[in-house]
Amino acid sequence: MTKMTGAEALIKSLEHEGVEVAFGVPGGAILPAYDPILDSPIRHVLARHEQGAGHMAEGYAHATGRVGVVIATSGPGATNIMTPLQDALMDSVPIVAITGQVSLSSMGNDAFQEAPTSGMAMHCTKHTFLVTDANEICEAVHQAFHLASTGRKGPVLIDIPKDLLATEVEWHEPAPVDLPGYKPSRGGHKRQIDRAIDLIMKARRPVLYVGGGIIAADASDQLLQFAEETNTPVTTTLMARGAFPDTHRLALGMPGMHGTYTAVTAMQRADLLVALGTRFDDRVTGDPATFAPNAKVIHVDIDPAEIGKVRNPEVPIVGDVGIILGQLGSELARRLTDGTLPDRSTWLETIAGWQAQHPLGYEQEPSGPVKAQYVVEQLLNATDGDAIVVSGVGQHQMWASQFWSFSKPRTWINSGGLGTMGFAVPAAIGAKVAVPDELVIAIDGDGSFQMTFQEMVTAAAEQVPIKVVLINNGGYGMVKQWQTLFYDRRYSAVELSLDVPNFPALAESCGWVGLAAETPDEIGPAIRKMLSVDDRPVLLEVRTDPEEMVFPMVPAGGSCDDIALGPEDL
Amino acid sequence: MHHTLSVTVQDKPGVLARVASMCSLRGFNIRSLAVGPIHHAGLSKITLVVDDVEVEQVTKQLHKLVNILKVSELDPNESLEREVMLVRVSADPGTRREVRDTAEVFGATTIDVGANSVTFELCDHPQRLTDFLSLVAHYGVLDLVKSGRIAMARDGKAKTRSTAGEQ
Ligand SMILES: Cc1ncc(C[n+]2csc(CCOP(=O)(O)OP(=O)(O)O)c2C)c(N)n1
Ligand SMILES: [Mg+2]
């Protein structure tokens, strides 16, 4: 046993969990922990704002599946990470947040930089620890990593009073995790597996409705195999883009509010939905009462509370979706020895018909304003799709998801559940730190970018050469779209200046390369120029058509039957 | 209608706050909540009475809280339910006798007598408390406090909706 301070024990515990990098901002209450960081192999990435540090930890976790770490001080440091915590909760991203707290004896006295961190974080984390004994630091860290990275993944916060960081403790290997109230299931219930296969063996119009759980469970290979074996088309939600290759003959693209006509309509017509690691989010279902009205539902999820929350399934299966796909596959193989699946060629032909009739589209006039969709396609061509794409929130996010062609998991990183503007730049930094050999490109909006752009400085200072393609449509395009469609074109608080800030100059001032493109024929060359820089971060500003709208569209709360292909349908 | 849940929890800081605020944030209305330690060290039991909501969702959401070990729904017909009430009833020397007679029928104990009031303690099934209250109401209730309901299944009748992590 070695004696050390609580702060040293904290850092050593992080090393013990295999942490390679932590994103953070120091301050009074967390100061003791910043001293041993100097001697630790853990790389500390100094963000310019704790929200940025939190999204970096998320980007790291999205790109690798490993736990991202964010460190902040008490009070304002802690309040600044609430957005990333909630973001990570909604999208089941494994991160551990460590916050300093005022000394135990001062807690509750409105001490300088005191905030009720664990109370605030209670609702936007999977679990919180408030450490009240320095000897508990090692166990708290160990349990926090276990909770964040198992079951339904998510954020966990450890709040540590400053005096405990200075207290002398004995470092010990943390005891094995003993959480009697936390026992996530793994394999699915045999009887439910049988019932699921019963339904699959009968279904004439099945759809695999796939969510981010497939990526969290690293189950893309099992999904591909199961889809092919059952000859079932697959729709991947905003959180699941990349879980199934978009070029596959069974791929339908994204469902939901801005999903493809085919994905949305296939679910409406389906007689069976196999929902895998997904939660029937309102952005997917529209009005849940009219969603997939003829479909029986098999719902597979690691979180029992998701099952029946929105839709009561015929067959509930709780557990790890990768394991369950394996179980389903074996049972299917057994049945196929003396049975056959129904002929699905008519269903697949119907689907192919929809795809041919209503593909995603846009019109780029050669000398007209640049369409953001065109930029995404040009970027896809120039990179062969071999990149990790990160996005902000708004129209550009939808276009990136619609027009990029994903071929593998963990290549699409975005804020789905919370819709957090400002996510892209810091999340891209986190991803690039995690996988430095990959090309990491943020497709960001001018509005979203302005929420966290100080992190450009972090990227330059820490030498994290990400790329940002800034879709500058002069404002909050998505909000403007709603005002166009539902508020009689009365535009309120949606216009941002096209010229201020001068984005390339701003980027240059932060140590980046700043580029700009304004006409369709400038896009290709500008992208190539951007891709040729790899020793510095690069921002490419593209001015795009401020009038362009995202379609198809299922209006919020409306029925997926009423999917609009253009404004004339609304 | 309402549902009574018996929730076994670890005595950890904030556990009560987690239960209470999870319920309020998810729109589950709590009618009554009582908590106290049990015979196993480090554990407490919360008896939670919620309005007629999707009790399945309440149970599942409770299970997601890491410090919660077990959640059972108690069927009112198969369980023992108790609540303690202290009630101060207006009673002058002329009505005191009558009021105390009523109390006696219910087995309520007189625990304080003032010039113009009598205070009773009654520990019984919640319905009996309600019945008693309605009988003394017309004398005038001056003050009232209830403990919140506690309950346990009758011997051999526990109905566990789900245990942690399982279906
Ligand atoms: C932090 C935050 N504040 C407000 C919103 C509401 N909101 C959603 S999209 C949007 C506009 C996004 O603008 P921009 O990033 O330029 O994307 P565009 O739609 O123009 O492509 C706003 C304000 C949000 N999602 N997040
Ligand atoms: Mg914009």
PDB file of all heavy atoms in Angstrom, chain A residues 122-123 127-128 147 180-181 183 185 189 192 303-305 307 309 316 318, chain B residues 10 14 17-18 21 25 57 60-61 63-64 66-69 164-165 167:
ATOM      1  N   MET A 122     -27.783  14.909 -11.103  1.00  0.00           N
ATOM      2  CA  MET A 122     -28.579  13.717 -10.815  1.00  0.00           C
ATOM      3  C   MET A 122     -29.541  13.389 -11.955  1.00  0.00           C
ATOM      4  O   MET A 122     -29.753  12.249 -12.299  1.00  0.00           O
ATOM      5  CB  MET A 122     -29.369  14.010  -9.542  1.00  0.00           C
ATOM      6  CG  MET A 122     -30.096  12.864  -8.945  1.00  0.00           C
ATOM      7  SD  MET A 122     -30.940  13.438  -7.450  1.00  0.00           S
ATOM      8  CE  MET A 122     -29.615  13.483  -6.264  1.00  0.00           C
ATOM      9  N   HIS A 123     -30.105  14.448 -12.540  1.00  0.00           N
ATOM     10  CA  HIS A 123     -31.122  14.219 -13.566  1.00  0.00           C
ATOM     11  C   HIS A 123     -30.549  14.131 -14.959  1.00  0.00           C
ATOM     12  O   HIS A 123     -31.270  13.830 -15.890  1.00  0.00           O
ATOM     13  CB  HIS A 123     -32.166  15.330 -13.517  1.00  0.00           C
ATOM     14  CG  HIS A 123     -32.715  15.496 -12.143  1.00  0.00           C
ATOM     15  ND1 HIS A 123     -33.400  14.475 -11.523  1.00  0.00           N
ATOM     16  CD2 HIS A 123     -32.647  16.495 -11.262  1.00  0.00           C
ATOM     17  CE1 HIS A 123     -33.744  14.875 -10.313  1.00  0.00           C
ATOM     18  NE2 HIS A 123     -33.288  16.092 -10.129  1.00  0.00           N
ATOM     19  N   HIS A 127     -25.675   8.125 -13.278  1.00  0.00           N
ATOM     20  CA  HIS A 127     -25.488   8.082 -11.833  1.00  0.00           C
ATOM     21  C   HIS A 127     -24.503   9.179 -11.434  1.00  0.00           C
ATOM     22  O   HIS A 127     -23.696   9.618 -12.244  1.00  0.00           O
ATOM     23  CB  HIS A 127     -24.947   6.716 -11.404  1.00  0.00           C
ATOM     24  CG  HIS A 127     -25.051   6.477  -9.919  1.00  0.00           C
ATOM     25  ND1 HIS A 127     -26.252   6.449  -9.261  1.00  0.00           N
ATOM     26  CD2 HIS A 127     -24.104   6.269  -8.969  1.00  0.00           C
ATOM     27  CE1 HIS A 127     -26.031   6.234  -7.964  1.00  0.00           C
ATOM     28  NE2 HIS A 127     -24.746   6.119  -7.765  1.00  0.00           N
ATOM     29  N   THR A 128     -24.607   9.609 -10.177  1.00  0.00           N
ATOM     30  CA  THR A 128     -23.635  10.573  -9.673  1.00  0.00           C
ATOM     31  C   THR A 128     -23.070  10.060  -8.352  1.00  0.00           C
ATOM     32  O   THR A 128     -23.765   9.369  -7.604  1.00  0.00           O
ATOM     33  CB  THR A 128     -24.286  11.940  -9.367  1.00  0.00           C
ATOM     34  OG1 THR A 128     -25.367  11.723  -8.454  1.00  0.00           O
ATOM     35  CG2 THR A 128     -24.817  12.607 -10.600  1.00  0.00           C
ATOM     36  N   LEU A 147     -20.235   1.783 -14.619  1.00  0.00           N
ATOM     37  CA  LEU A 147     -21.599   2.225 -14.941  1.00  0.00           C
ATOM     38  C   LEU A 147     -21.653   2.887 -16.321  1.00  0.00           C
ATOM     39  O   LEU A 147     -22.573   2.649 -17.099  1.00  0.00           O
ATOM     40  CB  LEU A 147     -22.095   3.208 -13.874  1.00  0.00           C
ATOM     41  CG  LEU A 147     -22.484   2.585 -12.529  1.00  0.00           C
ATOM     42  CD1 LEU A 147     -22.645   3.678 -11.469  1.00  0.00           C
ATOM     43  CD2 LEU A 147     -23.772   1.787 -12.658  1.00  0.00           C
ATOM     44  N   PRO A 180     -25.380  -4.044  -6.139  1.00  0.00           N
ATOM     45  CA  PRO A 180     -26.483  -5.007  -6.170  1.00  0.00           C
ATOM     46  C   PRO A 180     -27.729  -4.480  -6.882  1.00  0.00           C
ATOM     47  O   PRO A 180     -28.553  -5.267  -7.330  1.00  0.00           O
ATOM     48  CB  PRO A 180     -26.768  -5.277  -4.687  1.00  0.00           C
ATOM     49  CG  PRO A 180     -26.064  -4.216  -3.932  1.00  0.00           C
ATOM     50  CD  PRO A 180     -24.954  -3.689  -4.782  1.00  0.00           C
ATOM     51  N   GLY A 181     -27.850  -3.168  -7.016  1.00  0.00           N
ATOM     52  CA  GLY A 181     -29.022  -2.611  -7.691  1.00  0.00           C
ATOM     53  C   GLY A 181     -28.809  -2.418  -9.178  1.00  0.00           C
ATOM     54  O   GLY A 181     -29.637  -1.825  -9.854  1.00  0.00           O
ATOM     55  N   LYS A 183     -27.775  -4.589 -12.457  1.00  0.00           N
ATOM     56  CA  LYS A 183     -27.408  -5.862 -13.091  1.00  0.00           C
ATOM     57  C   LYS A 183     -27.989  -5.892 -14.504  1.00  0.00           C
ATOM     58  O   LYS A 183     -29.020  -6.505 -14.743  1.00  0.00           O
ATOM     59  CB  LYS A 183     -28.006  -7.046 -12.300  1.00  0.00           C
ATOM     60  CG  LYS A 183     -27.579  -7.157 -10.841  1.00  0.00           C
ATOM     61  CD  LYS A 183     -26.544  -8.255 -10.653  1.00  0.00           C
ATOM     62  CE  LYS A 183     -26.118  -8.435  -9.207  1.00  0.00           C
ATOM     63  NZ  LYS A 183     -25.471  -7.245  -8.619  1.00  0.00           N
ATOM     64  N   SER A 185     -29.024  -6.922 -18.094  1.00  0.00           N
ATOM     65  CA  SER A 185     -29.110  -8.257 -18.693  1.00  0.00           C
ATOM     66  C   SER A 185     -28.236  -8.313 -19.923  1.00  0.00           C
ATOM     67  O   SER A 185     -27.956  -7.305 -20.550  1.00  0.00           O
ATOM     68  CB  SER A 185     -30.534  -8.616 -19.138  1.00  0.00           C
ATOM     69  OG  SER A 185     -31.465  -7.762 -18.606  1.00  0.00           O
ATOM     70  N   HIS A 189     -34.253 -13.489 -23.375  1.00  0.00           N
ATOM     71  CA  HIS A 189     -35.051 -14.581 -22.853  1.00  0.00           C
ATOM     72  C   HIS A 189     -35.376 -15.563 -23.980  1.00  0.00           C
ATOM     73  O   HIS A 189     -35.870 -15.162 -25.028  1.00  0.00           O
ATOM     74  CB  HIS A 189     -36.333 -13.956 -22.299  1.00  0.00           C
ATOM     75  CG  HIS A 189     -37.022 -14.810 -21.316  1.00  0.00           C
ATOM     76  ND1 HIS A 189     -37.725 -15.919 -21.683  1.00  0.00           N
ATOM     77  CD2 HIS A 189     -37.126 -14.706 -19.968  1.00  0.00           C
ATOM     78  CE1 HIS A 189     -38.239 -16.468 -20.599  1.00  0.00           C
ATOM     79  NE2 HIS A 189     -37.883 -15.756 -19.549  1.00  0.00           N
ATOM     80  N   GLN A 192     -38.789 -15.475 -25.600  1.00  0.00           N
ATOM     81  CA  GLN A 192     -39.038 -14.299 -26.437  1.00  0.00           C
ATOM     82  C   GLN A 192     -38.296 -14.422 -27.769  1.00  0.00           C
ATOM     83  O   GLN A 192     -38.780 -13.964 -28.802  1.00  0.00           O
ATOM     84  CB  GLN A 192     -38.607 -13.012 -25.719  1.00  0.00           C
ATOM     85  CG  GLN A 192     -39.230 -12.816 -24.345  1.00  0.00           C
ATOM     86  CD  GLN A 192     -40.731 -12.594 -24.401  1.00  0.00           C
ATOM     87  OE1 GLN A 192     -41.388 -12.852 -25.402  1.00  0.00           O
ATOM     88  NE2 GLN A 192     -41.293 -12.135 -23.296  1.00  0.00           N
ATOM     89  N   ASP A 303     -32.218  -1.471 -22.258  1.00  0.00           N
ATOM     90  CA  ASP A 303     -32.864  -0.742 -21.166  1.00  0.00           C
ATOM     91  C   ASP A 303     -34.335  -1.154 -21.070  1.00  0.00           C
ATOM     92  O   ASP A 303     -35.141  -0.789 -21.928  1.00  0.00           O
ATOM     93  CB  ASP A 303     -32.751   0.762 -21.458  1.00  0.00           C
ATOM     94  CG  ASP A 303     -33.390   1.603 -20.362  1.00  0.00           C
ATOM     95  OD1 ASP A 303     -33.995   1.024 -19.428  1.00  0.00           O
ATOM     96  OD2 ASP A 303     -33.293   2.843 -20.434  1.00  0.00           O
ATOM     97  N   PRO A 304     -34.693  -1.908 -20.023  1.00  0.00           N
ATOM     98  CA  PRO A 304     -36.084  -2.389 -19.925  1.00  0.00           C
ATOM     99  C   PRO A 304     -37.090  -1.237 -19.940  1.00  0.00           C
ATOM    100  O   PRO A 304     -38.224  -1.413 -20.391  1.00  0.00           O
ATOM    101  CB  PRO A 304     -36.142  -3.113 -18.572  1.00  0.00           C
ATOM    102  CG  PRO A 304     -34.742  -3.286 -18.125  1.00  0.00           C
ATOM    103  CD  PRO A 304     -33.869  -2.314 -18.875  1.00  0.00           C
ATOM    104  N   ALA A 305     -36.674  -0.062 -19.467  1.00  0.00           N
ATOM    105  CA  ALA A 305     -37.622   1.060 -19.393  1.00  0.00           C
ATOM    106  C   ALA A 305     -37.978   1.597 -20.771  1.00  0.00           C
ATOM    107  O   ALA A 305     -38.969   2.314 -20.925  1.00  0.00           O
ATOM    108  CB  ALA A 305     -37.057   2.174 -18.520  1.00  0.00           C
ATOM    109  N   ILE A 307     -38.788  -0.319 -23.208  1.00  0.00           N
ATOM    110  CA  ILE A 307     -39.756  -1.244 -23.803  1.00  0.00           C
ATOM    111  C   ILE A 307     -41.142  -0.932 -23.270  1.00  0.00           C
ATOM    112  O   ILE A 307     -41.373  -0.930 -22.065  1.00  0.00           O
ATOM    113  CB  ILE A 307     -39.304  -2.687 -23.537  1.00  0.00           C
ATOM    114  CG1 ILE A 307     -38.048  -2.884 -24.373  1.00  0.00           C
ATOM    115  CG2 ILE A 307     -40.417  -3.679 -23.874  1.00  0.00           C
ATOM    116  CD1 ILE A 307     -37.429  -4.210 -24.354  1.00  0.00           C
ATOM    117  N   LYS A 309     -42.430   2.006 -23.410  1.00  0.00           N
ATOM    118  CA  LYS A 309     -42.516   3.421 -23.033  1.00  0.00           C
ATOM    119  C   LYS A 309     -43.381   4.187 -24.026  1.00  0.00           C
ATOM    120  O   LYS A 309     -44.242   4.979 -23.641  1.00  0.00           O
ATOM    121  CB  LYS A 309     -41.110   4.041 -22.967  1.00  0.00           C
ATOM    122  CG  LYS A 309     -41.100   5.477 -22.466  1.00  0.00           C
ATOM    123  CD  LYS A 309     -39.688   6.071 -22.436  1.00  0.00           C
ATOM    124  CE  LYS A 309     -39.268   6.552 -23.806  1.00  0.00           C
ATOM    125  NZ  LYS A 309     -37.935   7.200 -23.814  1.00  0.00           N
ATOM    126  N   PRO A 316     -41.159  -8.330 -26.392  1.00  0.00           N
ATOM    127  CA  PRO A 316     -40.092  -7.546 -25.762  1.00  0.00           C
ATOM    128  C   PRO A 316     -38.867  -8.419 -25.516  1.00  0.00           C
ATOM    129  O   PRO A 316     -38.998  -9.550 -25.049  1.00  0.00           O
ATOM    130  CB  PRO A 316     -40.719  -7.152 -24.417  1.00  0.00           C
ATOM    131  CG  PRO A 316     -41.695  -8.247 -24.108  1.00  0.00           C
ATOM    132  CD  PRO A 316     -42.097  -8.896 -25.407  1.00  0.00           C
ATOM    133  N   VAL A 318     -35.113  -7.984 -23.657  1.00  0.00           N
ATOM    134  CA  VAL A 318     -34.166  -7.102 -22.966  1.00  0.00           C
ATOM    135  C   VAL A 318     -32.795  -7.738 -22.974  1.00  0.00           C
ATOM    136  O   VAL A 318     -32.643  -8.904 -22.601  1.00  0.00           O
ATOM    137  CB  VAL A 318     -34.607  -6.864 -21.510  1.00  0.00           C
ATOM    138  CG1 VAL A 318     -33.566  -6.018 -20.776  1.00  0.00           C
ATOM    139  CG2 VAL A 318     -35.955  -6.181 -21.474  1.00  0.00           C
TER     140      VAL A 318
ATOM    141  N   GLN B  10     -30.619   1.264  -1.128  1.00  0.00           N
ATOM    142  CA  GLN B  10     -29.410   1.394  -0.325  1.00  0.00           C
ATOM    143  C   GLN B  10     -29.433   2.773   0.329  1.00  0.00           C
ATOM    144  O   GLN B  10     -29.846   3.745  -0.299  1.00  0.00           O
ATOM    145  CB  GLN B  10     -28.167   1.291  -1.212  1.00  0.00           C
ATOM    146  CG  GLN B  10     -27.951  -0.091  -1.795  1.00  0.00           C
ATOM    147  CD  GLN B  10     -26.759  -0.113  -2.745  1.00  0.00           C
ATOM    148  OE1 GLN B  10     -26.705   0.650  -3.697  1.00  0.00           O
ATOM    149  NE2 GLN B  10     -25.806  -0.981  -2.488  1.00  0.00           N
ATOM    150  N   GLY B  14     -28.751  11.111  -1.107  1.00  0.00           N
ATOM    151  CA  GLY B  14     -29.511  11.523  -2.282  1.00  0.00           C
ATOM    152  C   GLY B  14     -30.502  10.500  -2.798  1.00  0.00           C
ATOM    153  O   GLY B  14     -31.206  10.766  -3.763  1.00  0.00           O
ATOM    154  N   ALA B  17     -34.002  11.809  -2.756  1.00  0.00           N
ATOM    155  CA  ALA B  17     -34.140  12.888  -3.743  1.00  0.00           C
ATOM    156  C   ALA B  17     -34.255  12.306  -5.147  1.00  0.00           C
ATOM    157  O   ALA B  17     -35.045  12.767  -5.971  1.00  0.00           O
ATOM    158  CB  ALA B  17     -32.941  13.825  -3.663  1.00  0.00           C
ATOM    159  N   ARG B  18     -33.478  11.266  -5.419  1.00  0.00           N
ATOM    160  CA  ARG B  18     -33.539  10.653  -6.756  1.00  0.00           C
ATOM    161  C   ARG B  18     -34.927  10.094  -7.026  1.00  0.00           C
ATOM    162  O   ARG B  18     -35.479  10.279  -8.117  1.00  0.00           O
ATOM    163  CB  ARG B  18     -32.543   9.494  -6.860  1.00  0.00           C
ATOM    164  CG  ARG B  18     -31.123   9.918  -7.069  1.00  0.00           C
ATOM    165  CD  ARG B  18     -30.211   8.679  -7.051  1.00  0.00           C
ATOM    166  NE  ARG B  18     -28.903   9.027  -6.551  1.00  0.00           N
ATOM    167  CZ  ARG B  18     -27.927   9.522  -7.303  1.00  0.00           C
ATOM    168  NH1 ARG B  18     -28.118   9.705  -8.575  1.00  0.00           N
ATOM    169  NH2 ARG B  18     -26.774   9.849  -6.769  1.00  0.00           N
ATOM    170  N   SER B  21     -37.559  13.052  -7.222  1.00  0.00           N
ATOM    171  CA  SER B  21     -37.539  13.930  -8.386  1.00  0.00           C
ATOM    172  C   SER B  21     -37.662  13.169  -9.687  1.00  0.00           C
ATOM    173  O   SER B  21     -38.201  13.698 -10.652  1.00  0.00           O
ATOM    174  CB  SER B  21     -36.358  14.879  -8.376  1.00  0.00           C
ATOM    175  OG  SER B  21     -35.210  14.205  -8.072  1.00  0.00           O
ATOM    176  N   LEU B  25     -40.273  14.551 -12.325  1.00  0.00           N
ATOM    177  CA  LEU B  25     -39.850  14.914 -13.685  1.00  0.00           C
ATOM    178  C   LEU B  25     -40.546  14.078 -14.743  1.00  0.00           C
ATOM    179  O   LEU B  25     -40.766  14.531 -15.851  1.00  0.00           O
ATOM    180  CB  LEU B  25     -38.334  14.764 -13.825  1.00  0.00           C
ATOM    181  CG  LEU B  25     -37.538  15.793 -13.039  1.00  0.00           C
ATOM    182  CD1 LEU B  25     -36.056  15.490 -13.089  1.00  0.00           C
ATOM    183  CD2 LEU B  25     -37.802  17.191 -13.574  1.00  0.00           C
ATOM    184  N   GLN B  57     -44.059   1.714 -16.051  1.00  0.00           N
ATOM    185  CA  GLN B  57     -43.008   2.692 -16.333  1.00  0.00           C
ATOM    186  C   GLN B  57     -42.371   3.177 -15.034  1.00  0.00           C
ATOM    187  O   GLN B  57     -41.160   3.323 -14.947  1.00  0.00           O
ATOM    188  CB  GLN B  57     -43.573   3.893 -17.103  1.00  0.00           C
ATOM    189  CG  GLN B  57     -43.266   3.904 -18.596  1.00  0.00           C
ATOM    190  CD  GLN B  57     -41.772   3.890 -18.910  1.00  0.00           C
ATOM    191  OE1 GLN B  57     -41.004   4.722 -18.457  1.00  0.00           O
ATOM    192  NE2 GLN B  57     -41.346   2.907 -19.688  1.00  0.00           N
ATOM    193  N   LYS B  60     -40.054   0.509 -13.825  1.00  0.00           N
ATOM    194  CA  LYS B  60     -38.841   0.392 -14.637  1.00  0.00           C
ATOM    195  C   LYS B  60     -37.909   1.581 -14.423  1.00  0.00           C
ATOM    196  O   LYS B  60     -36.690   1.425 -14.356  1.00  0.00           O
ATOM    197  CB  LYS B  60     -39.215   0.291 -16.113  1.00  0.00           C
ATOM    198  CG  LYS B  60     -39.798  -1.068 -16.478  1.00  0.00           C
ATOM    199  CD  LYS B  60     -40.290  -1.023 -17.905  1.00  0.00           C
ATOM    200  CE  LYS B  60     -40.590  -2.414 -18.441  1.00  0.00           C
ATOM    201  NZ  LYS B  60     -41.094  -2.338 -19.824  1.00  0.00           N
ATOM    202  N   GLN B  61     -38.503   2.761 -14.325  1.00  0.00           N
ATOM    203  CA  GLN B  61     -37.656   3.933 -14.111  1.00  0.00           C
ATOM    204  C   GLN B  61     -37.015   3.883 -12.728  1.00  0.00           C
ATOM    205  O   GLN B  61     -35.872   4.313 -12.556  1.00  0.00           O
ATOM    206  CB  GLN B  61     -38.446   5.232 -14.303  1.00  0.00           C
ATOM    207  CG  GLN B  61     -38.938   5.470 -15.733  1.00  0.00           C
ATOM    208  CD  GLN B  61     -37.817   5.688 -16.738  1.00  0.00           C
ATOM    209  OE1 GLN B  61     -36.670   5.944 -16.377  1.00  0.00           O
ATOM    210  NE2 GLN B  61     -38.141   5.576 -18.018  1.00  0.00           N
ATOM    211  N   HIS B  63     -36.123   1.196 -11.239  1.00  0.00           N
ATOM    212  CA  HIS B  63     -35.042   0.225 -11.353  1.00  0.00           C
ATOM    213  C   HIS B  63     -33.791   0.798 -11.985  1.00  0.00           C
ATOM    214  O   HIS B  63     -32.687   0.315 -11.756  1.00  0.00           O
ATOM    215  CB  HIS B  63     -35.504  -0.973 -12.172  1.00  0.00           C
ATOM    216  CG  HIS B  63     -36.043  -2.064 -11.311  1.00  0.00           C
ATOM    217  ND1 HIS B  63     -35.340  -2.564 -10.244  1.00  0.00           N
ATOM    218  CD2 HIS B  63     -37.205  -2.729 -11.342  1.00  0.00           C
ATOM    219  CE1 HIS B  63     -36.044  -3.496  -9.658  1.00  0.00           C
ATOM    220  NE2 HIS B  63     -37.195  -3.615 -10.300  1.00  0.00           N
ATOM    221  N   LYS B  64     -33.966   1.833 -12.806  1.00  0.00           N
ATOM    222  CA  LYS B  64     -32.786   2.410 -13.445  1.00  0.00           C
ATOM    223  C   LYS B  64     -31.916   3.153 -12.442  1.00  0.00           C
ATOM    224  O   LYS B  64     -30.758   3.413 -12.702  1.00  0.00           O
ATOM    225  CB  LYS B  64     -33.206   3.368 -14.568  1.00  0.00           C
ATOM    226  CG  LYS B  64     -33.639   2.630 -15.809  1.00  0.00           C
ATOM    227  CD  LYS B  64     -34.062   3.561 -16.913  1.00  0.00           C
ATOM    228  CE  LYS B  64     -32.916   4.254 -17.590  1.00  0.00           C
ATOM    229  NZ  LYS B  64     -33.325   4.824 -18.893  1.00  0.00           N
ATOM    230  N   VAL B  66     -29.493   3.444  -9.664  1.00  0.00           N
ATOM    231  CA  VAL B  66     -28.498   2.446  -9.290  1.00  0.00           C
ATOM    232  C   VAL B  66     -28.637   1.988  -7.832  1.00  0.00           C
ATOM    233  O   VAL B  66     -28.337   0.849  -7.501  1.00  0.00           O
ATOM    234  CB  VAL B  66     -27.083   3.015  -9.586  1.00  0.00           C
ATOM    235  CG1 VAL B  66     -25.988   2.129  -9.024  1.00  0.00           C
ATOM    236  CG2 VAL B  66     -26.907   3.207 -11.084  1.00  0.00           C
ATOM    237  N   ASN B  67     -29.104   2.875  -6.952  1.00  0.00           N
ATOM    238  CA  ASN B  67     -29.180   2.502  -5.537  1.00  0.00           C
ATOM    239  C   ASN B  67     -30.480   1.795  -5.165  1.00  0.00           C
ATOM    240  O   ASN B  67     -30.739   1.559  -3.981  1.00  0.00           O
ATOM    241  CB  ASN B  67     -28.996   3.736  -4.647  1.00  0.00           C
ATOM    242  CG  ASN B  67     -27.640   4.380  -4.837  1.00  0.00           C
ATOM    243  OD1 ASN B  67     -27.529   5.579  -4.991  1.00  0.00           O
ATOM    244  ND2 ASN B  67     -26.598   3.563  -4.853  1.00  0.00           N
ATOM    245  N   ILE B  68     -31.284   1.473  -6.143  1.00  0.00           N
ATOM    246  CA  ILE B  68     -32.539   0.777  -5.836  1.00  0.00           C
ATOM    247  C   ILE B  68     -32.376  -0.706  -6.089  1.00  0.00           C
ATOM    248  O   ILE B  68     -31.927  -1.136  -7.146  1.00  0.00           O
ATOM    249  CB  ILE B  68     -33.686   1.395  -6.655  1.00  0.00           C
ATOM    250  CG1 ILE B  68     -33.985   2.732  -5.996  1.00  0.00           C
ATOM    251  CG2 ILE B  68     -34.906   0.483  -6.675  1.00  0.00           C
ATOM    252  CD1 ILE B  68     -35.157   3.446  -6.509  1.00  0.00           C
ATOM    253  N   LEU B  69     -32.719  -1.503  -5.056  1.00  0.00           N
ATOM    254  CA  LEU B  69     -32.467  -2.930  -5.155  1.00  0.00           C
ATOM    255  C   LEU B  69     -33.693  -3.702  -5.611  1.00  0.00           C
ATOM    256  O   LEU B  69     -33.588  -4.681  -6.318  1.00  0.00           O
ATOM    257  CB  LEU B  69     -32.020  -3.485  -3.797  1.00  0.00           C
ATOM    258  CG  LEU B  69     -30.771  -2.839  -3.202  1.00  0.00           C
ATOM    259  CD1 LEU B  69     -30.311  -3.630  -1.988  1.00  0.00           C
ATOM    260  CD2 LEU B  69     -29.645  -2.783  -4.221  1.00  0.00           C
ATOM    261  N   ALA B 164     -34.281  -6.005 -10.212  1.00  0.00           N
ATOM    262  CA  ALA B 164     -33.303  -5.171 -10.917  1.00  0.00           C
ATOM    263  C   ALA B 164     -32.780  -5.828 -12.180  1.00  0.00           C
ATOM    264  O   ALA B 164     -32.315  -6.951 -12.169  1.00  0.00           O
ATOM    265  CB  ALA B 164     -32.151  -4.855  -9.988  1.00  0.00           C
ATOM    266  N   GLY B 165     -32.879  -5.059 -13.262  1.00  0.00           N
ATOM    267  CA  GLY B 165     -32.222  -5.465 -14.497  1.00  0.00           C
ATOM    268  C   GLY B 165     -32.926  -6.561 -15.268  1.00  0.00           C
ATOM    269  O   GLY B 165     -32.692  -6.733 -16.444  1.00  0.00           O
ATOM    270  N   GLN B 167     -36.227  -8.771 -16.898  1.00  0.00           N
ATOM    271  CA  GLN B 167     -37.425  -8.391 -17.621  1.00  0.00           C
ATOM    272  C   GLN B 167     -38.629  -8.469 -16.726  1.00  0.00           C
ATOM    273  O   GLN B 167     -38.782  -9.433 -16.000  1.00  0.00           O
ATOM    274  CB  GLN B 167     -37.614  -9.381 -18.747  1.00  0.00           C
ATOM    275  CG  GLN B 167     -37.670  -8.709 -20.065  1.00  0.00           C
ATOM    276  CD  GLN B 167     -37.566  -9.767 -21.140  1.00  0.00           C
ATOM    277  OE1 GLN B 167     -36.517 -10.345 -21.324  1.00  0.00           O
ATOM    278  NE2 GLN B 167     -38.653 -10.005 -21.792  1.00  0.00           N
TER     279      GLN B 167
END
